[in-house]
């Protein structure tokens, strides 16, 4: 079992940067594939990025590739999402997710554990 808690969200202007964190506790963090998802008001929850257990492999949604960077520090049991060049369409609640094992997936249903989310609002 693992518990996840996101932090770092806030209100920023278009073009600004923000760094989200996901702190994990209750289990061995390094055994989990991790991911970020986001859900805008009135929309479905969408995949953002995922990262392998060691951090060696990453995969991004096309809408964020080149602007966002996912990373993890297993010694600190923490995953990060560095968001640069933010756009109003990035406005959403951002969730971190975890699943045991080595396979990276983009579908929400694949992930076993979820945080409660952190709000990111980008004004124009």
């Amino acid at each position: 079992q693992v518990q996840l808690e996101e932090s770092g969200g806030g209100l920023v202007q278009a073009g600004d940067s923000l760094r989200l964190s996901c702190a994990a506790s209750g289990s061995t963090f390094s055994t989990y594939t991790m991911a970020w998802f986001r859900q805008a008001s009135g929309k479905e929850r969408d995949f953002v990025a995922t990262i392998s257990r060691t951090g060696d492999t990453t995969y991004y949604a096309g809408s964020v590739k080149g602007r966002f960077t996912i990373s993890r520090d297993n010694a600190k049991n923490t995953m990060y999402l560095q968001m640069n060049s933010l756009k109003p369409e990035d406005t959403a609640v951002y969730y971190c997710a975890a699943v045991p094992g080595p396979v990276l997936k983009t579908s929400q249903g694949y992930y076993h554990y979820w945080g409660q989310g952190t709000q990111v609002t980008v004004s124009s």
Side-chain angles (χ1 to χ4, degrees), residues 24-100:
S25 63
S27 190
T28 304
F29 181 66
S30 62
T31 65
Y32 291 87
T33 292
M34 302 293 295
W36 288 98
F37 289 78
R38 66 187 182 186
Q39 186 169 22
S41 180
K43 303 292 183 64
E44 298 293 321
R45 188 171 299 182
D46 290 332
F47 168 77
V48 176
T50 185
I51 187 167
S52 63
R53 294 176 296 177
T54 63
D56 292 338
T57 305
T58 59
Y59 182 77
Y60 298 89
S63 58
V64 306
K65 191 172 185 178
R67 298 189 298 120
F68 291 10
T69 302
I70 188 172
S71 63
R72 66 192 295 166
D73 187 339
N74 287 345
K76 296 181 178 179
N77 284 6
T78 304
M79 177 180 66
Y80 306 96
L81 185 67
Q82 178 66 47
M83 304 184 293
N84 297 329
S85 301
L86 283 162
K87 305 174 181 179
E89 52 262 45
D90 295 319
T91 295
V93 176
Y94 283 71
Y95 299 89
C96 97
V99 62

